[in-house]
Amino acid sequence: MIEDREPIRVALLGCGTVGTEVVRLLQEHPTEYAARTGAPVRVTGVAVRRPHKHPDVPEQLLTTDAAALVEGSADVVVELIGGIEPARSLLLAALRAGKSVVTANKALLAEHGSELYAAADANGVDIYFEAAVAGAIPLLRPLRESLAGDRINRVTGIVNGTSNYILSAMDSTGAGYEETLEEANRLGYAEADPTADVDGFDAASKAAILASLAFHTRVGAGDVHREGISGIGAGDIEAARSLNRTVKLLAICERVIDEDGTESVSARVHPAMIPRDHPLAGVGGAFNAVFVEAESAGQLMFYGQGAGGAPTASAVLGDLVAAARNVVVSGKGPRESAHAQLPARSMDWTPTRYHISLDVADRPGVLSQVAATFNEHDVSISVVRQQGRGADASLVVVTHTAADSALRATVEQIARLSSVNEVASVMRVEGEPS
């Protein structure tokens, strides 16, 4: 009988919204989790800073000594603290003590993933982290396992719900950034300090994890180019609308192949205009979605709730079941795959496209001056449109694909032209032929 077997002992580090749901679900459905793992699953301790803040957790489980809990008799350690320290030290201690680990800590994985994987391998235990990217969406396991026999060329995702809520609301209401951020904060979609979300730090950590898995290469947070959405205004949203596009904060991870066949990995996070018929364009509110392009499988779309207590707990518990099952059968989960060892590509040399809006003088020769500057930097123009007269004269240019450094140099030189009053906005364009 499964109930008679030695239980799988679980130590939980951190018990916020997600941790509380994990404890609740394990307590409410013990028979189901026992059946799925092959043995009872029992939480033996929950490490928190302020026990009195957790009335829903049985008092006998609570402790403020996380290190002692990790050093104890647990088989699996679940980390939901977040941040780098003390999470890094605690998880390394757990792995070195022969305990498998489940974590939702994207920042830690992006910064110190290789160190954690090495510790897991050296001690014959598992590290699972499905909840670190896109909440409840089953995404990392398909990249890590289901597509292990395929060649992934590109992963494009909306992986931060706060930024997506803000941009979706700006698109639907016409409101400005500050006004929409304030509303997002009031509704609970944005933190009191939204920096990690709106400045792209959260998405960059997730992009590093996605690129590492997709391209079998160690990609760290420092390899990811990052831009946020705080500079996006109502005018940018309207400009995108006029071209039948919408603006999204995208995490883009791609395999880039030069003319000589040299391969590298580009990982970047930035706002971009995408066509309204692109699969990611309709992802609204705080939802997440990731679009995967593989050689054999083709185009795949993963969509769902990217955050929240219950959705994220679902991913954590899926990992916990896998780790616990391996303990029961003395098996091992998938190991780190970094055999490709592709170099990280600088954003300067990453191919991309720009949408540029210029306030220009209303006089002959303006277009030829601007076009000559593009030609000087070997940047080809895809679309150009002049509109307005007098003080309202403007010029909109959409480029073909070029190295980002060439595009930036072009914009900088254009800004110095006597016929250009102001570079009103610059935004990258994604999701359509170049």
Side-chain angles (χ1 to χ4, degrees):
M1 295 288 289
I2 289 176
E3 293 78 7
D4 297 330
R5 293 182 179 175
E6 197 68 23
I8 301 300
R9 296 156 298 189
V10 179
L12 181 61
L13 309 181
C15 196
T17 305
V18 177
T20 300
E21 283 294 310
V22 168
V23 173
R24 180 184 69 80
L25 289 166
L26 286 172
Q27 290 180 329
E28 288 185 2
H29 307 288
T31 304
E32 289 188 31
Y33 287 108
R36 294 170 191 176
T37 61
V41 179
R42 182 176 302 160
V43 177
T44 56
V46 180
V48 296
R49 285 186 296 175
R50 295 180 291 272
H52 67 279
K53 294 282 189 180
H54 303 275
D56 295 332
V57 179
E59 186 176 353
Q60 68 271 20
L61 293 180
L62 295 170
T63 177
T64 57
D65 194 342
L69 187 60
V70 167
E71 292 167 3
S73 60
D75 300 295
V76 181
V77 174
V78 178
E79 184 269 314
L80 299 173
I81 302 171
I84 304 300
E85 290 292 355
R88 170 184 165 275
S89 297
L90 290 168
L91 292 192
L92 284 173
L95 294 166
R96 289 165 181 164
K99 306 171 194 298
S100 291
V101 160
V102 173
T103 178
N105 195 329
K106 62 263 184 183
L108 178 61
L109 291 165
E111 294 280 356
H112 299 283
S114 59
E115 185 180 19
L116 295 170
Y117 303 143
D121 282 345
N123 294 280
V125 290
D126 294 329
I127 177 167
Y128 285 96
F129 46 90
E130 184 67 58
V133 180
I137 305 172
L139 171 63
L140 302 189
R141 191 169 279 111
L143 290 178
R144 202 179 187 188
E145 299 177 42
S146 304
L147 294 172
D150 208 338
R151 180 183 172 90
I152 298 173
N153 293 318
R154 185 177 170 98
V155 179
T156 308
I158 295 169
V159 294
N160 182 267
T162 299
S163 293
N164 197 54
Y165 174 85
I166 291 169
L167 292 174
S168 298
M170 289 174 69
D171 184 73
S172 62
T173 66
Y177 170 77
E178 293 294 343
E179 177 185 350
T180 309
L181 173 59
E182 185 177 330
E183 179 70 2
N185 189 276
R186 187 182 68 81
L187 295 173
Y189 290 112
E191 301 286 346
D193 179 2
T195 302
D197 296 317
V198 301
D199 285 351
F201 289 99
D202 176 81
S205 293
K206 295 170 181 176
I209 296 169
L210 290 171
S212 297
L213 293 179
F215 306 123
H216 306 281
T217 293
R218 286 180 175 172
V219 178
D223 299 317
V224 181
H225 174 82
R226 175 190 55 80
E227 299 172 28
I229 66 168
S230 57
I232 304 297
D236 297 309
I237 302 295
E238 182 54 38
R241 182 182 297 280
S242 70
L243 296 169
N244 198 33
R245 298 184 177 104
T246 188
V247 178
K248 296 292 185 183
L249 181 70
L250 299 180
I252 302 170
C253 310
E254 60 185 333
R255 186 191 302 267
V256 182
I257 306 176
D258 292 329
E259 291 181 1
D260 64 359
T262 301
E263 290 186 83
S264 57
V265 170
S266 167
R268 48 198 165 102
V269 168
H270 56 69
M273 293 183 179
I274 60 174
R276 288 190 177 270
D277 61 358
H278 190 282
L280 293 176
V283 179
F287 278 77
N288 284 191
V290 176
F291 191 64
V292 177
E293 299 170 64
E295 270 191 11
S296 299
Q299 298 179 337
L300 306 169
M301 179 84 161
F302 299 85
Y303 170 84
Q305 295 190 59
T312 307
S314 170
V316 170
L317 286 165
D319 281 350
L320 177 56
V321 167
R325 188 183 294 136
N326 288 338
V327 173
V328 171
V329 301
S330 300
K332 290 183 181 179
R335 321 317 287 170
E336 181 194 20
S337 176
H339 63 85
Q341 297 182 338
L342 299 177
R345 193 179 189 93
S346 164
M347 189 62 191
D348 283 348
W349 305 109
T350 296
T352 184
R353 301 177 65 203
Y354 275 18
H355 172 282
I356 306 161
S357 180
L358 307 171
D359 291 339
V360 298
D362 186 16
R363 62 172 184 256
V366 172
L367 180 56
S368 62
Q369 281 187 318
V370 171
T373 305
F374 277 93
N375 185 61
E376 183 178 337
H377 292 276
D378 199 26
V379 175
S380 176
I381 294 175
S382 173
V383 176
V384 61
R385 186 179 70 219
Q386 284 184 279
Q387 56 191 31
R389 298 184 64 83
D392 295 325
S394 66
L395 189 65
V396 173
V397 179
V398 180
T399 74
H400 284 295
T401 298
D404 198 75
S405 57
L407 289 163
R408 280 190 282 108
T410 303
V411 172
E412 289 169 4
Q413 186 169 331
I414 286 173
R416 296 192 294 268
L417 295 176
S418 60
S419 56
V420 175
N421 300 323
E422 181 188 13
V423 177
S425 73
V426 178
M427 191 174 299
R428 294 181 180 86
V429 177
E430 297 287 341
E432 57 188 25
S434 60

